[in-house]
Amino acid sequence: MEGMQVLGLALALILFMITTHAHGQYYSQSVPYESLPERTTNLHFFFHDTLSGKNPSAVLVARPNITTGQSLAPFGSIFVFHDPLTVGPELTSEVIGNAQGLYVSSSQDIPSLVAYFDFGFTTGEFNGSSISVFSRNPIINTERELAVVGGRGKFRLARGFAQLKTYFINATNGDAIVEYNVTVIHY
């Protein structure tokens, strides 16, 4: 009987050691968390959203099954896009990245979108990094503000805001150029 008790205690000790070791692999009270210093980065670029032509950068993927007049984006419409980001307002200026995402026409009375954008940078100091924007975009206003809710790469744990100003809009086909001034707080 004494051998069985020793075996039971040995098994209990082994299970305790395995459990303790497994928990210690992902969590430790002996290594304190040290936060990195926060940095603030200001970005300036132009967003080119092209709905027209043979090679649009934004396309309508869903439209409501209702009659809503002549609006380019009636309530409930969903667009996806892959738009260039440039240094200047001309499409021929230096491309610094691209914006990918979607926007939904979300207002029944005034033109407004709910937008999810991922701004990926492809050159310079922030090459390979991106910021994420998820916010209401009241496109009828020439100037507006969107929330920066995240990022990756050098913009890990980003937060902040983007101030937008419509530089150009074609009311007939929906093509637009929007100036972005973005303040990003990140680690």
Side-chain angles (χ1 to χ4, degrees):
M1 192 69 152
E2 191 174 297
M4 293 298 281
Q5 287 177 335
V6 170
L7 182 60
L9 286 172
L11 285 174
L13 181 60
I14 290 171
L15 285 174
F16 173 75
M17 289 171 49
I18 290 172
T19 304
T20 302
H21 180 69
H23 288 288
Q25 289 180 351
Y26 74 92
Y27 175 75
S28 172
Q29 292 183 6
S30 64
V31 180
Y33 172 74
E34 292 184 29
S35 64
L36 299 171
E38 282 188 339
R39 297 187 314 175
T40 300
T41 300
N42 295 302
L43 303 169
H44 178 257
F45 52 84
F46 289 84
F47 170 91
H48 298 263
D49 197 44
T50 306
L51 294 160
S52 66
K54 292 181 182 180
N55 191 23
S57 62
V59 295
L60 176 69
V61 295
R63 186 178 194 113
N65 191 17
I66 56 175
T67 304
T68 58
Q70 301 295 354
S71 173
L72 285 171
F75 175 69
S77 299
I78 301 173
F79 292 81
V80 296
F81 62 90
H82 183 156
D83 292 339
L85 304 176
T86 62
V87 171
E90 302 81 20
L91 193 52
T92 56
S93 67
E94 180 186 359
V95 175
I96 58 166
N98 59 68
Q100 295 178 345
L102 57 93
Y103 47 86
V104 179
S105 180
S106 57
S107 178
Q108 293 185 351
D109 47 7
I110 61 168
S112 184
L113 307 172
V114 170
Y116 166 72
F117 299 168
D118 185 82
F119 295 103
F121 299 97
T122 57
T123 62
E125 179 184 354
F126 302 113
N127 183 18
S129 298
S130 72
I131 57 172
S132 298
V133 171
F134 183 69
S135 197
R136 178 184 297 196
N137 186 353
I139 58 175
I140 192 127
N141 300 339
T142 302
E143 296 184 22
R144 52 212 183 266
E145 184 174 295
L146 305 181
V148 173
V149 298
R152 62 182 175 81
K154 291 189 177 180
F155 294 121
R156 186 175 292 136
L157 296 174
R159 63 190 190 283
F161 59 94
Q163 294 177 315
L164 285 60
K165 184 174 184 182
T166 302
Y167 180 83
F168 166 82
I169 188 154
N170 182 322
T172 304
N173 64 21
D175 291 354
I177 301 170
V178 181
E179 182 178 13
Y180 276 73
N181 284 293
V182 185
T183 299
V184 184
I185 301 165
H186 57 100
Y187 293 99

